[in-house]
Every structure is written in C-alpha cells, then in structure tokens.
Amino acid sequence: MGLGRSISDDRVPGLAAEMAFFAMLSFVPLLIAVGAALGFLERFLDPDRIARGEQAVIDGVGVVFNPDVTGDVIAPFVTGLLSQQRGGLAVGGVLATLWLGSRVFAATVRALNVAYEAEQRRGVV
C-alpha cells in the first residue's frame, strides 16, 4: 500500500507522460532537420548513396511509427525534403530539436528530484 501511495504522491505517471511526450515530439523536427540537411549532400555524394541514406531514414522512422503511417506520410515527406535544398528548414529543425530535447532533460530532472525528494538547487544560469 505504501508503494502505491508513493507513486500517487510523486506523480509518476504524469512525469513519465511528460518525458515521453517531449521525446516523441522531438522526432518530428529531428526528421525535418536530417532530411533537409541530406538535401545538401547531393552535391558531394553519388545518387545511390543518397538513396540508401533516404531509405535508412525511412526505415529508422518505421521502427518508431506504424508502417502505414511511415509509408503513406513520412516516406513522401522525406523524399520531398531530399529533393530540395532547404537550409533554413534544416537550421529551424535543429533548433526545435535542441529545445525539445532540453525539455525532455528538464522533465527528467524534475522526475528524479521528485523521486529522490531532492530540492532544486540550481540557479537560472
């Protein structure tokens, strides 16, 4: 009974959901950044290598998402990204990924502070 009360008092499901939410949300701008950056590599690499990289990205995303979603939505999106050079999109995707990644780690720190009953001792800087 003490464990269940501790889980409830520490908001374990809510904190876990927060971490999972930001982790999954960070996949979208990461995919955009990688796809846009790969569009620039077309000048330096042969088309076969670019096609293998494109397929590797699609296969990697297919592990996380449903195969139907991967084939119908993500594969055309990645192909479209790779067909054009979009530097601003790549930079924006990297910045969004970094911000969302920092949110994942902030949620993890909050969860660990609650779990170990530690107080936040860090300053703003």
Side-chain angles (χ1 to χ4, degrees):
M1 187 91 130
L3 179 63
R5 184 170 207 65
S6 177
I7 289 173
S8 175
D9 290 344
D10 290 345
R11 302 177 305 121
V12 170
L15 292 170
E18 182 181 4
M19 288 187 297
F21 172 75
F22 284 116
M24 289 300 293
L25 191 61
S26 68
F27 278 123
V28 175
L30 178 64
L31 177 66
I32 290 170
V34 168
L38 286 177
F40 285 101
L41 293 178
E42 204 168 60
R43 289 185 249 171
F44 307 109
L45 301 174
D46 61 340
D48 292 336
R49 188 171 282 191
I50 296 293
R52 285 194 310 253
E54 177 183 338
Q55 191 58 44
V57 169
I58 293 170
D59 291 343
V61 172
V63 171
V64 176
F65 294 105
N66 184 344
D68 294 334
V69 171
T70 302
D72 295 341
V73 176
I74 295 174
F77 181 71
V78 170
T79 303
L81 277 176
L82 290 175
S83 66
Q84 299 176 3
Q85 297 177 0
R86 300 180 180 183
L89 193 60
V91 171
V94 167
L95 292 176
T97 301
L98 288 174
W99 181 75
L100 288 167
S102 72
R103 299 296 304 162
V104 171
F105 285 106
T108 303
V109 167
R110 265 194 309 280
L112 291 172
N113 285 343
V114 168
Y116 289 106
E117 297 174 359
E119 291 188 27
Q120 184 78 14
R121 288 183 269 171
R122 284 186 292 208
V124 177
V125 179

